[in-house]
Amino acid sequence: MSHGFKLRFDEMREGDPTASEQIRPSETDNYYQTPGHARNVCFVWSNGKRLFLNYAYLISGEFSPNEEKNQITLTFSSHKVLLSGYNLEPLYSSLLDHLPRLISEMDSRYVLRGDVNEVTVLQITVENLRV
């Protein structure tokens, strides 16, 4: 064994190459290291505004079918959310299982009323119950 090999081996042991890379403290303070198990639903308006609520606080949901527009009323412990649009029954069924992560509002100018198979949310109204 050469002396150069031994010198490099000693340097490698001192440097601890098995240690993970150093993470800046600011990155670990702002974000969790792994995703959690909590489920949230995020409501997105056409102007870019967003609000998320936790499914754990969803108390009830009501679906009101109508020939022209459907409505879903979601009552959380702190907010009441009203969704209006077309073909909302599949959305209501998926809300029962806490599946939707994002529910986005669509501008009515871009809606094709002939497409009856697509879920279309035209308006999201949120009322804060804790005033």
Side-chain angles (χ1 to χ4, degrees), residues 20-89:
S20 62
E21 292 183 22
Q22 296 293 326
I23 299 175
R24 291 178 285 186
S26 62
E27 289 179 12
T28 58
D29 293 340
N30 294 333
Y31 297 98
Y32 293 110
Q33 295 299 318
T34 58
H37 298 288
R39 289 201 177 207
N40 298 304
V41 58
C42 182
F43 301 99
V44 182
W45 283 265
S46 56
N47 64 1
K49 178 182 169 186
R50 293 173 179 239
L51 169 75
F52 76 85
L53 297 168
N54 195 303
Y55 275 115
Y57 298 105
L58 178 60
I59 298 169
S60 67
E62 179 182 351
F63 175 65
S64 300
N66 191 338
E67 288 181 19
E68 185 61 29
K69 279 189 186 177
N70 298 157
Q71 288 187 338
I72 297 175
T73 304
L74 302 172
T75 306
F76 292 85
S77 60
S78 61
H79 294 80
K80 190 176 207 175
V81 179
L82 178 68
L83 306 172
S84 300
Y86 302 110
N87 194 31
L88 296 183
E89 191 168 0

Side-chain angles (χ1 to χ4, degrees), residues 1-6 9:
M1 178 165 29
S2 71
H3 292 287
F5 175 76
K6 187 173 183 180
F9 182 76

Side-chain angles (χ1 to χ4, degrees), residues 7-24:
L7 179 63
R8 282 191 232 131
F9 182 76
D10 291 338
E11 287 174 3
M12 183 180 73
R13 278 196 340 204
E14 290 171 4
D16 193 12
T18 59
S20 62
E21 292 183 22
Q22 296 293 326
I23 299 175
R24 291 178 285 186

